[in-house]
Amino acid sequence: FRNWHLITGALSVGAYQQVVTVSNSIIATKDDSLFIHENDSWRFLYTSPGRINWINSSQGKLLIAETNAAGDSRIVVTERDGTVSQTYEQRELLRSPLDAVLKGNDIWIADAVSGLLQFSGNGVKRYQPNSPYSVSTGQMIYASNSLWVTSATLNSEYQNSFSKNGFFQYNNMTWKNFTPAALPALDSAYDLVSVAVSSNDRSIWLGSLGGGLVRFREAEPLQIFKQQSGISPSVFQPGQYRVAGLT
């Protein structure tokens, strides 16, 4: 690649996010619009009413992952000429699609929250392994017939990884994941590294390396303690409330 040529004409100058091929045609993403290259020229193909997260090609069709202003996700399937042939949306399950492929009349979607989804004429089928949401590198305790596991780890330099993978419970041969997708308040409690159980009410307490102290109890609102709670901010990181250990 010694020589580069700036393409103009139907394509405006600016940042382009992704390029894929569909039936020997090149399709490029720029913000909320798609452009196609065929017959030695570029032309406009499609505009999303929301944000385009990614595009993919499968079985000669174009798959477009979109998010609207309300944060709802959907996948739009179009023909090569931009005609929409199918739209897949399911607010409860289609939360954060990462990739998708077509197989016959079905679409298989890899979702970061819901696992593997199969959309077919019979509805939606969910495949989710019985496992923690992510690699578990934090503290573990066994209490009230459950194993409680935190997802982050404390390195020797006390540096943040800003993990927002939450915490996990193993009970009766089943894993249950508690992530910001299920508990939005957890979004500010990144890097959960420690866990303890209260002998008074059996509530679970978790230490965040930056987001303070978290109290969790089933069927009760999640509580986070940091500002004006008695927990002092970090001397070196004044905006962080670090709770590295619990007993």
Side-chain angles (χ1 to χ4, degrees):
F1 303 104
R2 296 181 179 179
N3 299 299
W4 292 90
H5 174 67
L6 180 63
I7 299 174
T8 57
L11 294 183
S12 60
V13 176
Y16 286 78
Q17 289 75 40
Q18 194 174 356
V19 176
V20 300
T21 58
V22 178
S23 301
N24 298 321
S25 295
I26 299 174
I27 296 176
T29 307
K30 185 178 188 298
D31 300 326
D32 62 352
S33 298
L34 301 178
F35 298 87
I36 185 170
H37 182 267
E38 54 187 0
N39 300 323
D40 294 326
S41 64
W42 287 92
R43 64 177 178 84
F44 168 79
L45 181 68
Y46 174 87
T47 293
S48 168
R51 182 180 73 247
I52 295 178
N53 299 314
W54 51 262
I55 59 175
N56 190 12
S57 62
S58 182
Q59 292 188 174
K61 297 185 178 183
L62 180 66
L63 280 57
I64 309 166
E66 303 176 344
T67 303
N68 63 20
D72 298 327
S73 298
R74 71 174 187 173
I75 291 183
V76 177
V77 180
T78 74
E79 305 295 336
R80 197 178 69 172
D81 61 2
T83 303
V84 175
S85 58
Q86 188 64 270
T87 299
Y88 298 92
E89 47 193 334
Q90 176 69 261
R91 176 177 292 183
E92 294 77 14
L93 291 177
L94 195 58
R95 306 285 294 278
S96 181
L98 300 176
D99 202 357
V101 295
L102 296 172
K103 182 176 175 58
N105 295 322
D106 297 351
I107 185 171
W108 293 77
I109 302 172
D111 190 276
V113 176
S114 299
L116 182 63
L117 304 174
Q118 179 189 11
F119 284 74
S120 66
N122 297 324
V124 185
K125 190 172 183 179
R126 182 182 186 185
Y127 300 85
Q128 191 170 46
N130 182 24
S131 70
Y133 174 74
S134 70
V135 175
S136 307
T137 56
Q139 185 181 1
M140 299 186 295
I141 63 165
Y142 184 80
S144 302
N145 298 318
S146 292
L147 177 68
W148 296 90
V149 185
T150 55
S151 58
T153 188
L154 181 64
N155 63 36
S156 59
E157 298 179 353
Y158 277 67
Q159 296 299 311
N160 290 103
S161 61
F162 297 100
S163 165
K164 294 185 178 182
N165 292 326
F167 61 101
F168 324 119
Q169 176 193 21
Y170 184 70
N171 176 269
N172 196 26
M173 304 294 288
T174 302
W175 284 97
K176 187 174 182 180
N177 299 306
F178 301 92
T179 66
L183 300 171
L186 272 181
D187 189 67
S188 66
Y190 52 86
D191 289 344
L192 294 176
V193 296
S194 55
V195 58
V197 60
S198 169
S199 59
N200 294 326
D201 61 2
R202 312 309 293 172
S203 58
I204 304 300
W205 293 77
L206 304 116
S208 166
L209 195 64
L213 182 63
V214 179
R215 178 187 181 273
F216 169 79
R217 195 162 185 248
E218 291 275 11
E220 293 184 9
L222 192 76
Q223 293 179 281
I224 297 181
F225 302 90
K226 42 187 175 181
Q227 297 99 330
Q228 300 177 347
S229 67
I231 300 175
S232 301
S234 168
V235 174
F236 301 103
Q237 299 286 344
Q240 293 187 344
Y241 294 79
R242 298 188 166 200
V243 181
L246 293 170
T247 57

